[in-house]
Amino acid sequence: MHKTVKLNRAFFTITRIAAICLFGSGVTLGLQAQQPQAADSQDKVLDLRASLTAPLDLPAPSDLNYSSSVGAAETEAAERFNLSGREDQPPPRRSYGRRPNYNDSWHNSDGSNKYTVVVGGGFTLPTGGTHNYATTSWKFQVGGGRNFNKRFGVLLQFDYDRFGMQTSTLNQQLALYNSLGAGLTQLDGYVKDWSFTLNPVYNVYQSDAVGAYVVVGLGFYHKYTSFTTPVTATCFDPFFGYYLCSANARVDWYTSNAFGVNGGIGFTYRLSRFASERFYAEARYVWTNNQRRPYDVSGTTSYFNAFPQAGAPTTYIPVTFGIRF
């Protein structure tokens, strides 16, 4: 029995030694089989530059359907951006010239507005012979026109210029009318000159905030001279009915139509660089070629003219403040 146990132990020991040897041989063969693959992986170095510069092949899927208009636009864009045939180059940058082009129905190519509107008011300063009988009063101005660029434009304007009368002139006319049997106790008067003119405007300086311009013009001027006297009249009101009121009755009046010219300078100011509106202040010199009529109060002719100055050439300086749109 002891002999059998010893044989079993010897067999078990030999079996373990054989298993260990077999496992070691397997591991050795496995390492030798993997060694060439490791060498191959070391020989294959990743070329990052070649991968980045290689052209991308992005074929369009066959199941995508494009409309004919979109396809034509893409074809035109591809032809416009095509370089010298090199697919690895980016498309060229489009050229717009030295300045951007903003040309549309409301703007010129330099970004300025094509159309402008002016509204303003101010006062009038009679000069020369006009100053001998007229005094300073108020004015109103409105107009619109076309700007061809930032520098040059043309305005069509309507101006209403009003003047008072010198006290010495009124006293002289009052004595004259009373000598003719008018029997007046008081006399007042005024002159108004309204006009339609065409005015070229040239901007000599313009920045984001301020600007300066010169303007000249010519057109039609209508001069109206009137002398009035206060009277007590009967007035009517729809709520209170008839009542006594004070009114000015015309004693004498004259009209004169003439060709006239004007010229002057102006300044503009814009509150914000993003706003298109500008405040403006300008002064012009106006001359109208009214034709003088002879003095005649005899009553033996076809006309009566007790104030020849109404037909004399008119000169004055209107000063206007307003806003340009």
Side-chain angles (χ1 to χ4, degrees), residues 5-325:
V5 173
K6 290 180 179 181
L7 288 176
N8 289 337
R9 288 179 178 178
F11 177 77
F12 180 74
T13 301
I14 294 172
T15 302
R16 289 180 63 186
I17 293 172
I20 293 172
C21 292
L22 181 61
F23 178 78
S25 300
V27 172
T28 303
L29 292 175
L31 292 176
Q32 290 179 356
Q34 292 180 359
Q35 184 174 0
Q37 295 179 359
D40 293 341
S41 63
Q42 292 178 358
D43 294 337
K44 293 182 180 181
V45 179
L46 179 61
D47 191 348
L48 182 60
R49 181 176 181 181
S51 300
L52 293 177
T53 58
L56 295 176
D57 185 10
L58 299 175
S62 59
D63 58 344
L64 292 179
N65 296 323
Y66 296 95
S67 65
S68 59
S69 60
V70 176
E74 293 177 347
T75 304
E76 181 182 358
E79 293 176 357
R80 184 168 64 251
F81 291 117
N82 188 24
L83 287 176
S84 59
R86 296 188 59 183
E87 299 180 354
D88 58 344
Q89 295 294 327
R93 183 175 299 175
R94 295 186 64 183
S95 175
Y96 293 92
R98 293 184 177 180
R99 296 180 179 178
N101 191 326
Y102 302 97
N103 192 27
D104 56 30
S105 59
W106 293 100
H107 298 86
N108 296 309
S109 59
D110 58 4
S112 60
N113 294 332
K114 284 187 176 181
Y115 308 100
T116 185
V117 176
V118 298
V119 178
F123 57 92
T124 56
L125 298 172
T127 63
T130 307
H131 178 67
N132 294 332
Y133 61 88
T135 60
T136 299
S137 190
W138 55 272
K139 76 167 276 96
F140 172 76
Q141 179 185 87
V142 64
R146 175 74 159 83
N147 296 320
F148 298 98
N149 50 53
K150 288 184 177 180
R151 291 290 187 181
F152 181 71
V154 176
L155 286 175
L156 178 63
Q157 290 183 189
F158 171 79
D159 290 84
Y160 181 93
D161 302 317
R162 188 181 176 94
F163 308 90
M165 283 286 187
Q166 296 278 4
T167 302
S168 59
T169 302
L170 293 175
N171 292 335
Q172 179 181 351
Q173 291 301 118
L174 177 62
L176 176 60
Y177 293 138
N178 285 335
S179 67
L180 298 175
L184 303 174
T185 59
Q186 189 176 349
L187 190 68
D188 199 359
Y190 62 88
V191 179
K192 59 183 180 181
D193 203 343
W194 57 262
S195 60
F196 287 98
T197 56
L198 191 65
N199 305 271
V201 180
Y202 183 78
N203 295 296
V204 295
Y205 175 78
Q206 190 169 7
S207 66
D208 290 339
V210 298
Y213 63 91
V214 295
V215 57
V216 295
L218 54 89
F220 171 81
Y221 288 79
H222 175 80
K223 183 179 180 180
Y224 178 82
T225 306
S226 177
F227 293 98
T228 63
T229 187
V231 296
T232 301
T234 302
C235 300
F236 174 78
D237 185 271
F239 297 98
F240 301 100
Y242 292 95
Y243 64 97
L244 295 178
C245 63
S246 178
N248 290 324
R250 285 193 308 180
V251 175
D252 194 12
W253 67 94
Y254 304 91
T255 61
S256 177
N257 298 323
F259 166 83
V261 296
N262 68 79
I265 60 174
F267 301 92
T268 62
Y269 178 73
R270 183 164 57 183
L271 294 177
S272 170
R273 61 179 301 181
F274 303 104
S276 59
E277 299 82 7
R278 286 177 178 265
F279 295 101
Y280 73 93
E282 69 175 31
R284 304 190 193 185
Y285 180 82
V286 177
W287 175 84
T288 63
N289 189 29
N290 302 96
Q291 299 300 312
R292 189 184 299 272
R293 299 173 182 175
Y295 174 82
D296 191 345
V297 294
S298 63
T300 59
T301 60
S302 59
Y303 65 93
F304 176 86
N305 187 5
F307 192 69
Q309 296 92 323
T314 309
T315 58
Y316 60 96
I317 299 175
V319 179
T320 311
F321 306 92
I323 186 171
R324 294 176 181 266
F325 298 93

